[in-house]
Amino acid sequence: MGTTRLETVPEPKYWHLRNVLAEALDTEFAVGEILPNERELAARFGVARATLRQALEQLELEGRLQRRRGVGTTVAPPRVGVDVSTPRHEWPGDDQDASWNPRDCVLAPAPAAVLRLLETAPAEVHTVRRVRVTSGQTVATELIYVPAASVPELSAIDAPSGSARARSVLRELQRLGLDGQDRAVELGSARADDAKELDRLPGAPVLVVTTRYVAAGRVAAVSVATYRADTCRLTFGDSGDLEISDRPEERRAS
Amino acid sequence: MGTTRLETVPEPKYWHLRNVLAEALDTEFAVGEILPNERELAARFGVARATLRQALEQLELEGRLQRRRGVGTTVAPPRVGVDVSTPRHEWPGDDQDASWNPRDCVLAPAPAAVLRLLETAPAEVHTVRRVRVTSGQTVATELIYVPAASVPELSAIDAPSGSARARSVLRELQRLGLDGQDRAVELGSARADDAKELDRLPGAPVLVVTTRYVAAGRVAAVSVATYRADTCRLTFGDSGDLEISDRPEERRAS
């Protein structure tokens, strides 16, 4: 990684250092390799620890580095592409949906923001919790809010809670003709329970995907999925799989 | 905002403080209102400045707060929904694409990551730069990489660079039958030039949308768009507009 000293430059120091480090990652390090510690790196580049830390945080945000307690900072593997496209008009939990594991289902009041999306104030809402596992890693958690009125036949059936209940609710949803779904992606931060499931600290950056399922002219269910932003790239489109390489910053280099 | 002192809690202190602050933003503050300064807030909640700053950064990441130099910390308006759906099979820059302003076009070697997406190593690549303006705010910048072979008629026409040239390249693209497009969204950080255009600091979190346009069985163009992650929510889907309220964390509250 050399002992390049940073010159005074018009751009912020951490940003210049980020660029120098990114270059070094490309040319001198392999995926999974552990970087020298912060003290050593700061000395090599002749920068303050705070500047170094900012640059490392930057590269972590971009998915280039992973920092884990007890391990140190390692070079991250390319992000995993996760398909979030909507064109197939499918309910969550149908037979092709093997990447998701239902975990639990509770009957609870929905948060106000979900009620606004449901456009009604249903007396009871089933809340299904699922996790999405890709290549052995939990990449997302999801809460699916289903008003009791959307699954009227449910009450007669099986388990009062747990994954069996979650499966029942999703199975009942399939009975409804799905008219369409809308989806939005935005940046968020991991809530404590999601963070734990995703093996991150609370507040870690996540991509929040909110979906509104419309059936018989009304919103029959709302789902809020939380994807790890460090390891996931969300894909959608109409011409098959998109194999996009990692390094969004590199793609924008001119 | 009271003088609530934080109890010792099992979750990280900054996360607990974030929750307390989020609650206060909902109940005691209006959009655009300026928060008390850091010293004052830290004293009120009985926390260290570092903890307070972490909680504020959290809420900024979630789009709840805006911090601007010389102004201070203000309560952010709801995020703006920006449609990034792909179903219409349209080239960038067609007549319905009024939200984008072409800025410039240069003939330059494409970055290695773009060449991988193009699946060829074209001798010359036109790089069109556009910005997307929504409600008077620049929400995104975009680079569209068009191999010279995709627009063979171009050389004979008009301006050598600038926005006229950018328009010509996009106009020539319309001649090709578009077979499909794939899109991926991921978290990135703003490069210095994008940051300037978006009125952010270099390294600010952005949502990077990469699109591959396929025509006549090959990749005819690649675009890399950089959206402000603090103010934008990217929407796509098949049942019309999705009016999702802000507050992704609130939606996930159970």
Side-chain angles (χ1 to χ4, degrees), chain A residues 223-245:
Chain A
S223 102
V224 182
T226 302
Y227 288 81
R228 282 182 65 153
D230 54 341
T231 56
C232 294
R233 163 191 316 120
L234 308 183
T235 65
F236 57 104
D238 55 9
S239 78
D241 283 337
L242 177 57
E243 282 305 319
I244 285 184
S245 69

Side-chain angles (χ1 to χ4, degrees), chain A residues 11-12 14-15 18 58 61-62 79 84-87 89 111-114 116-117 143 145 180-192 194 201-208 210 212 214 224 226 229 232-245 247-254, chain B residues 11-12 14-15 18 58 61-62 79 84-87 89 111-114 116-117 143 145 180-192 194 201-208 210 212 214 224 226 229 232-245 247-254:
Chain A
E11 60 193 354
Y14 68 88
W15 184 253
R18 175 244 167 249
Q58 211 62 70
L61 187 81
E62 295 165 23
R79 282 176 171 159
V84 296
S85 49
T86 60
H89 276 239
V114 170
R116 283 196 292 276
L117 287 176
L143 294 174
Y145 301 94
Q181 49 191 304
D182 282 312
R183 203 155 264 195
V185 183
E186 66 197 293
L187 180 60
S189 61
R191 296 178 347 118
D194 293 328
L201 288 177
V206 289
L207 295 169
V208 180
T210 304
R212 209 167 52 161
V214 178
V224 182
T226 302
C232 294
R233 163 191 316 120
L234 308 183
T235 65
F236 57 104
D238 55 9
S239 78
D241 283 337
L242 177 57
E243 282 305 319
I244 285 184
S245 69
R247 316 290 153 78
E249 285 64 32
E250 201 183 307
R251 261 170 259 149
R252 286 174 288 151
S254 51
Chain B
E11 60 193 354
Y14 69 86
W15 184 254
R18 174 242 167 250
Q58 211 63 70
L61 188 79
E62 295 165 23
R79 283 177 171 157
V84 296
S85 49
T86 59
H89 278 237
V114 170
R116 283 195 291 277
L117 287 176
L143 293 175
Y145 300 96
Q181 50 191 305
D182 283 312
R183 204 155 264 194
V185 183
E186 65 198 294
L187 180 61
S189 61
R191 295 176 350 117
D194 293 328
L201 287 178
V206 290
L207 295 170
V208 180
T210 304
R212 210 167 52 160
V214 178
V224 182
T226 302
C232 293
R233 166 190 314 120
L234 308 183
T235 66
F236 57 105
D238 56 11
S239 80
D241 283 336
L242 178 57
E243 282 305 321
I244 286 185
S245 69
R247 312 293 153 79
E249 284 64 34
E250 200 183 308
R251 259 171 261 151
R252 286 175 289 152
S254 51

Side-chain angles (χ1 to χ4, degrees), chain B residues 1 6-7 10-11 29 51 93 101 103 131 137 139 147 156 169 175-176 199 202 211 214 221 232-234 243-244 251:
Chain B
M1 203 178 262
L6 297 175
E7 311 284 326
E11 60 193 354
F29 287 84
T51 305
N101 301 327
R103 278 288 175 82
V131 300
Q137 191 193 49
V139 294
V169 170
R175 291 166 175 265
L176 297 175
D199 192 22
T211 310
V214 178
C232 293
R233 166 190 314 120
L234 308 183
E243 282 305 321
I244 286 185
R251 259 171 261 151

